[in-house]
Amino acid sequence: LSRESDRSAEGQMAYGVHLFARSKVIPDMAVSRGVEAYEKARETGDRAIEFLAAGGTAMAVLDLGDSEEADAWLDRAARAAADAPSSHRARQLETWRGLLAAARGDAPAMRAHLEQAHELAVAQGRAAARCEAASNLALQAAQLGAEAGDRSLLSVAEAAADEVRQLARDLPGHPLWEAQAEAAAAIVADARGDGTAAHDLAMAALDRRAAAMREDPHLEIFIPAVRIVLARGTPQEARAVGRELQVLGDPGDAARGDYVVD
């Protein structure tokens, strides 16, 4: 029993390091600790850690640009979820699959998975889950819609961002989903040629990110907002975001996947 408890604790500690590495954007550590947590969870039968470690490893591998390996890890997460199903795991799996599809540029699959995650969140009746799902849909639809010039995707992103704003009013604290929605709305405005709105929304996203006083970089908010501020902001604003870019390091580093600031 003591040895079993030690192995379980080791798996939980490895998963904790995995979470830290993901939040700090250290994908090589996130992958290695995610694999370790997954293997130890398999040994001890900890389905919760097995599922979360497999999905988290998939997202860390995806940060490194390996979508095939990410797909394999999501299959492992799906098997763990099938052994111990829950509505939360079903929603999380749909979210991960939607993010993988977005990274591959597969807009129909992205939309199908993230909209299913949103429907599951609505069914659960939890405002925070619904807000999270809508913010993911908003940002991914905005990015793919802008890249492809797809007006329908831009409209999906805009509607999802509006939903996040409405839901976030009733949530306590400073959740970053609204900042993510503002970043998505900024991408939509920029794609439509409304530079003033794009700039204002990008600044709002950065302001909300700063107000949350988080130590993690949250590049999914920072990078798209900074692109717009550098292109459309004042010299003073450009210098301000430039200083933070220097603190964060080079976002174009290969270890950060597709996060590139032109």
Side-chain angles (χ1 to χ4, degrees), residues 38 42 47 50-51 54 71-85 93 97:
Y38 172 80
R42 291 272 292 171
R47 295 301 185 210
E50 180 185 348
F51 171 74
D71 206 359
W73 277 102
L74 286 186
D75 286 343
R76 295 183 180 98
R79 288 194 291 272
D83 289 338
L93 193 58
R97 292 210 180 278

Side-chain angles (χ1 to χ4, degrees), residues 139 176 179-180 183 205-206 209 218-226:
L139 189 54
L176 284 169
Q180 192 167 317
L206 294 175
R209 173 177 170 273
H218 290 283
L219 298 181
E220 75 282 0
I221 299 166
F222 184 67
I223 296 302
V226 164

Side-chain angles (χ1 to χ4, degrees), residues 8-142:
S8 179
E10 288 172 1
Q12 292 171 8
M13 290 181 65
Y15 181 67
V17 175
H18 163 78
L19 286 180
F20 171 84
R22 284 195 65 201
S23 67
K24 301 301 181 185
V25 197
I26 314 171
D28 53 345
M29 181 185 290
V31 171
S32 63
R33 293 300 184 270
V35 172
E36 180 182 350
Y38 172 80
E39 291 175 347
K40 291 187 180 300
R42 291 272 292 171
E43 292 175 5
T44 59
D46 189 334
R47 295 301 185 210
I49 296 296
E50 180 185 348
F51 171 74
L52 292 170
T57 301
M59 295 297 100
V61 168
L62 191 61
D63 284 342
L64 294 171
D66 192 342
S67 65
E68 295 301 322
E69 184 66 11
D71 206 359
W73 277 102
L74 286 186
D75 286 343
R76 295 183 180 98
R79 288 194 291 272
D83 289 338
S86 71
S87 57
H88 170 74
R89 288 174 187 162
R91 177 171 59 83
Q92 188 63 67
L93 193 58
E94 289 294 331
T95 299
W96 287 331
R97 292 210 180 278
L99 295 176
L100 173 59
R104 287 173 166 168
D106 187 344
M110 175 279 296
R111 186 172 173 181
H113 286 298
L114 293 186
E115 287 183 342
Q116 178 62 21
H118 182 261
E119 290 177 9
L120 289 169
V122 171
Q124 290 170 8
R126 296 180 179 179
R130 185 177 165 188
C131 196
E132 179 185 30
S135 67
N136 282 325
L137 177 59
L139 189 54
Q140 301 306 323

